[in-house]
Amino acid sequence: MNSDTTSRTLWFEDARLGLFIHWNVCAALEGRFDGEPVRQTEYGEWLRARNRVPRENWDRAIAKLHITPEIVDSWAEAALDAGMKYVIFVSKHHDGLAFWPSRLSDYTLNNLAGVDFDICERLKQACDDRGLKLCFYYSHWHDWEDPGGWGNFWDFNSDDPAQFEGYENFFFYGGEGHRDNLTPEQFDEYWHRKSMGQVRELMERYQPALFWFDCWRRREDTNMTQTQVDEMLAMIREIDPTCLVNSRLGISKIGSEGGVDYETVGDNEFPDQWIGHPWESAATFALSWGYSRDDQRWRTATYFIRNLVRNISFGGNLAINFGPMADGRAPQEALVCMQQIGQCLRENREGFYGCGHSPMDEESQDWGIATLDQVQNRLYLHLFDWPVDGVVRVNGLLTPVTGATLCCDGSALSFEQMGQTVHVSGPKSMPVAYDTVIGLDLAGPVEVDNQTLGEINGGGLALQAHRASAGKPRKEKPYEGATKLPCQLGGWEAEDAEATWNVFIPEAGAREVTLCYACTKDCAGQGFMVSAGDGLEVRGLTQMTQLNWSEFRPIKVGRMEFPQPGKYTITVRPDGPSNRELFKLLWVHLGDALG
Ligand code: H79
């Protein structure tokens, strides 16, 4: 595992993929109030707040929710089928409605919708039966039903116009609103009676494996006190020391004394670097958490599988959310997506659960992302794009490889390790859709070189402008909206101008050198040089590609004969003095070794 936290989090870091379920009253309204879609957000579960839905209308909507024990079972079954290892059920969202027959509040689904069985008990059983961990989301801070809770400014605030002063934008532009007359004493009373009381009740009745609290602000920027959040954590620790708690309790300290167990990053946020303690992204199948008919922007299995692998490679988890409809059924789009994800994980058999941070940079490989089983020293290559020749070119791997396996059928793959490059020979076609996993057994702990450029799919080396070391020339944006080609190298007027790339050449031999650049009539005919040190060089004269700087063309410069495999520094510079621009260089390509 990737972090040095207590053994409490071991199952969580092993699990990697979870299901989030927001069954919310907004589903009974299909995400609209009296015909109006939720205002200024995609979050259907914020309908009551955003559209200022009166309590009586909300309560009438609650009465329309209906469900059977079998539907509850189907949630757990869907999670199992999707390869998910834990289920986070929203036991109470901001509206304050408890989805279990709470003794501490009348505001329960059982009371208001006449549901005659305990959903949480049923879900607990369904999860236990399938080896899934049951976890609860609980809105501890916002509670729009209880006058002592935070957040309901439309029912509970005073009529004093002063309540708006300083909070103008807070109320009207996507704001959360401000409680002008909630005293610390009132909130503290709510905190101990309802918030802590219901968490205790949930723990005693259902023994959840984890509590997912939801304060997305820094605690200091809320009305919660340090004492209050500390008390909540202490109570949970006392009742069940194995129960995990996320950072949105309002405590950012992770893993240590008085700290929570893991970090929840922003909603639908996927970090781009390793985080040294357990963490999780919570994402939505579409955009809303609760079901809304107006939210049909469904994300794909491609999106989730890639982000799952990426999260694992940075030591994190992913929980994906659907909002069941009024009858409790999951939207079909979410179900289909879950089946696709599950099929991919099942077919690959390895590379997800129990895996963690791999030091191999995403940018240093052309085929996908690696995850690591640190105990077995097994590196898992997740191929999102299958190389057309079936050869997987792994760059910058310094540890000796002892075996390569196609995980989906366990077959051994032949491989060749040439210095820090490994060529693994796989089938010509991608065996598992979305992501095919190859396991590499290593002779010891993985060591990588992310700094030296390696090969791309299909062979050869691509020295792109954005990967160059260059002061003169400088990196410029080639044109508005450039995304795939992040920059060009321009400004070669100085005699000492040069751009360099550190590369690893896995095989000796001649390689075709191609430069892709734009050059105008005025600048054509000037000399430039590409060298790899030690008299290894090719020279050329710039050729016109257009009258302006907009036309980039690949132009062959010559062949370079690499005497032996190894590291080289490739340099491009003007050949002789120049006081004019040379070209706008997009990339240099070194072809595969010839014959
Ligand atoms: O339960 C889900 C969301 O309802 C909850 N967290 C996830 C797991 C969440 N509520 N708020 N936020 C997350 C952060 C956003 C806040 C807000 Fe807004 C911005 C509140 C008001 C402005 C989004 C936009 C919600 C209403 C308008």
Side-chain angles (χ1 to χ4, degrees):
M1 216 43 58
N2 66 302
S3 60
D4 59 356
T5 49
T6 59
S7 57
R8 197 162 37 218
T9 59
L10 286 178
W11 73 263
F12 181 73
E13 293 186 87
D14 202 72
R16 293 305 181 207
L17 182 61
L19 175 64
F20 219 135
I21 304 176
H22 276 68
W23 197 35
N24 187 270
V25 182
C26 68
L29 297 164
E30 296 174 72
R32 294 186 180 183
F33 176 53
D34 279 356
E36 183 193 0
V38 63
R39 285 178 203 160
Q40 292 173 315
T41 178
E42 305 282 354
Y43 284 12
E45 72 284 359
W46 273 75
L47 183 67
R48 175 139 199 255
R50 301 303 306 154
N51 294 34
R52 317 291 193 251
V53 179
R55 163 82 181 256
E56 56 174 307
N57 298 69
W58 197 252
D59 290 1
R60 247 183 275 142
I62 294 173
K64 294 183 190 167
L65 292 173
H66 51 102
I67 194 162
T68 63
E70 289 69 33
I71 291 282
V72 175
D73 296 346
S74 77
W75 295 342
E77 191 59 28
L80 183 72
D81 191 42
M84 291 157 164
K85 301 288 190 185
Y86 56 106
V87 175
I88 310 166
F89 180 65
V90 176
S91 62
K92 184 196 93 171
H93 201 258
H94 306 331
D95 66 351
L97 182 71
F99 281 78
W100 77 100
S102 176
R103 258 183 275 108
L104 294 167
S105 165
D106 295 333
Y107 206 58
T108 67
L109 185 77
N110 294 83
N111 282 343
L112 284 114
V115 169
D116 60 1
F117 69 100
D118 184 340
I119 292 179
C120 289
E121 188 180 86
R122 183 77 184 201
L123 187 57
K124 165 81 173 160
Q125 191 60 50
C127 286
D128 282 353
D129 291 347
R130 293 167 178 80
L132 302 166
K133 300 270 192 186
L134 176 65
C135 312
F136 287 129
Y137 169 109
Y138 182 86
S139 176
H140 61 321
W141 170 45
H142 271 248
D143 189 310
W144 303 334
E145 175 262 338
D146 197 299
W150 181 257
N152 186 342
F153 55 86
W154 59 98
D155 288 331
F156 299 137
N157 271 10
S158 72
D159 295 329
D160 185 354
Q163 66 166 295
F164 295 105
E165 274 166 33
Y167 291 101
E168 290 86 351
N169 295 338
F170 233 64
F171 283 93
F172 297 114
Y173 297 105
E176 292 152 40
H178 176 75
R179 285 293 307 275
D180 76 326
N181 57 357
L182 178 66
T183 66
E185 293 72 28
Q186 258 181 303
F187 183 73
D188 196 60
E189 192 277 330
Y190 153 81
W191 185 265
H192 287 98
R193 169 180 47 79
K194 187 170 183 182
S195 201
M196 284 181 61
Q198 289 194 325
V199 167
R200 172 182 286 280
E201 191 179 42
L202 286 167
M203 290 187 78
E204 289 174 351
R205 287 202 195 166
Y206 314 107
Q207 298 83 43
L210 180 157
F211 264 100
W212 210 103
F213 293 109
D214 197 6
C215 173
W216 55 89
R217 303 200 173 289
R218 294 189 327 148
R219 205 262 325 141
E220 292 85 338
D221 300 333
T222 72
N223 66 320
M224 291 188 293
T225 66
Q226 184 67 45
T227 308
Q228 285 164 345
V229 295
D230 285 346
E231 280 177 339
M232 178 74 89
L233 184 61
M235 179 188 78
I236 293 170
R237 297 286 191 240
E238 191 203 312
I239 300 172
D240 180 1
T242 69
C243 183
L244 303 186
V245 177
N246 73 336
S247 55
R248 287 204 202 169
L249 171 58
I251 294 179
S252 53
K253 198 160 73 161
I254 313 285
S256 47
E257 192 53 37
V260 293
D261 299 299
Y262 77 92
E263 178 183 356
T264 298
V265 300
D267 296 353
N268 288 301
E269 181 184 314
F270 302 98
D272 57 8
Q273 59 187 6
W274 178 56
I275 300 176
H277 52 240
W279 62 273
E280 176 189 65
S281 302
T284 45
F285 279 110
L287 298 180
S288 180
W289 298 83
Y291 176 75
S292 164
R293 62 185 265 190
D294 295 301
D295 174 28
Q296 298 298 334
R297 284 195 262 165
W298 300 95
R299 297 180 165 121
T300 61
T302 309
Y303 174 87
F304 290 116
I305 291 168
R306 290 184 184 208
N307 280 308
L308 169 64
V309 171
R310 199 148 172 272
N311 276 15
I312 296 173
S313 81
F314 295 138
N317 285 26
L318 172 63
I320 318 177
N321 175 79
F322 69 72
M325 297 179 286
D327 60 2
R329 283 184 307 129
Q332 186 66 11
E333 291 83 355
L335 279 180
V336 169
C337 190
M338 287 170 77
Q339 286 159 6
Q340 292 164 333
I341 294 169
Q343 186 173 347
C344 176
L345 268 59
R346 260 193 312 280
E347 285 184 20
N348 279 306
R349 308 200 290 201
E350 288 176 75
F352 299 89
Y353 316 116
C355 294
H357 172 56
S358 147
M360 198 169 253
D361 270 1
E362 186 174 354
E363 256 217 301
S364 65
Q365 313 298 329
D366 200 32
W367 38 260
I369 295 177
T371 61
L372 179 68
D373 180 334
Q374 207 179 281
V375 179
Q376 312 279 335
N377 288 322
R378 197 164 158 91
L379 189 69
Y380 290 103
L381 317 178
H382 292 258
L383 280 90
F384 304 138
D385 301 300
W386 197 257
V388 288
D389 57 0
V391 179
V392 185
R393 293 166 173 84
V394 184
N395 300 315
L397 182 58
L398 304 178
T399 320
V401 175
T402 57
T405 312
L406 185 63
C407 293
C408 60
D409 62 9
S411 64
L413 299 176
S414 64
F415 67 93
E416 190 182 359
Q417 191 160 22
M418 298 162 285
Q420 59 185 61
T421 299
V422 186
H423 288 179
V424 183
S425 300
K428 285 267 160 57
S429 299
M430 185 159 176
V432 183
Y434 301 114
D435 172 12
T436 294
V437 183
I438 290 175
L440 290 187
D441 288 308
L442 307 180
V446 63
E447 281 183 62
V448 300
D449 170 3
N450 287 314
Q451 306 309 319
T452 309
L453 285 179
E455 294 178 297
I456 56 174
N457 286 350
L461 291 90
L463 284 51
Q464 285 163 308
H466 73 283
R467 304 287 312 255
S469 300
K472 281 179 256 173
R474 59 188 177 266
K475 294 179 182 177
E476 303 169 343
K477 209 174 166 185
Y479 46 84
E480 255 340 283
T483 49
K484 289 270 161 53
L485 301 167
C487 68
Q488 64 187 17
L489 295 165
W492 297 83
E493 296 87 351
E495 207 175 325
D496 60 348
E498 63 173 38
T500 64
W501 292 262
N502 295 323
V503 301
F504 184 80
I505 302 286
E507 291 161 279
R511 288 169 189 261
E512 196 85 61
V513 180
T514 306
L515 266 60
C516 185
Y517 59 78
C519 185
T520 63
K521 183 162 156 277
D522 292 344
C523 295
Q526 300 181 84
F528 65 89
M529 186 168 102
V530 182
S531 82
D534 258 354
L536 205 61
E537 59 194 38
V538 288
R539 288 157 197 271
L541 296 177
T542 56
Q543 297 177 22
M544 187 194 81
T545 60
Q546 237 294 5
L547 297 180
N548 59 35
W549 295 107
S550 66
E551 175 73 3
F552 296 90
R553 293 193 183 172
I555 296 170
K556 280 184 191 172
V557 182
R559 285 183 181 186
M560 224 180 230
E561 179 84 30
F562 290 88
Q564 61 205 33
K567 284 190 187 182
Y568 291 85
T569 298
I570 308 294
T571 306
V572 175
R573 62 169 76 94
D575 190 15
S578 165
N579 54 6
R580 276 177 298 156
E581 181 64 297
L582 205 52
F583 42 35
K584 303 289 188 190
L585 182 63
L586 268 191
W587 47 257
V588 178
H589 182 258
L590 303 179
D592 222 355
L594 298 164

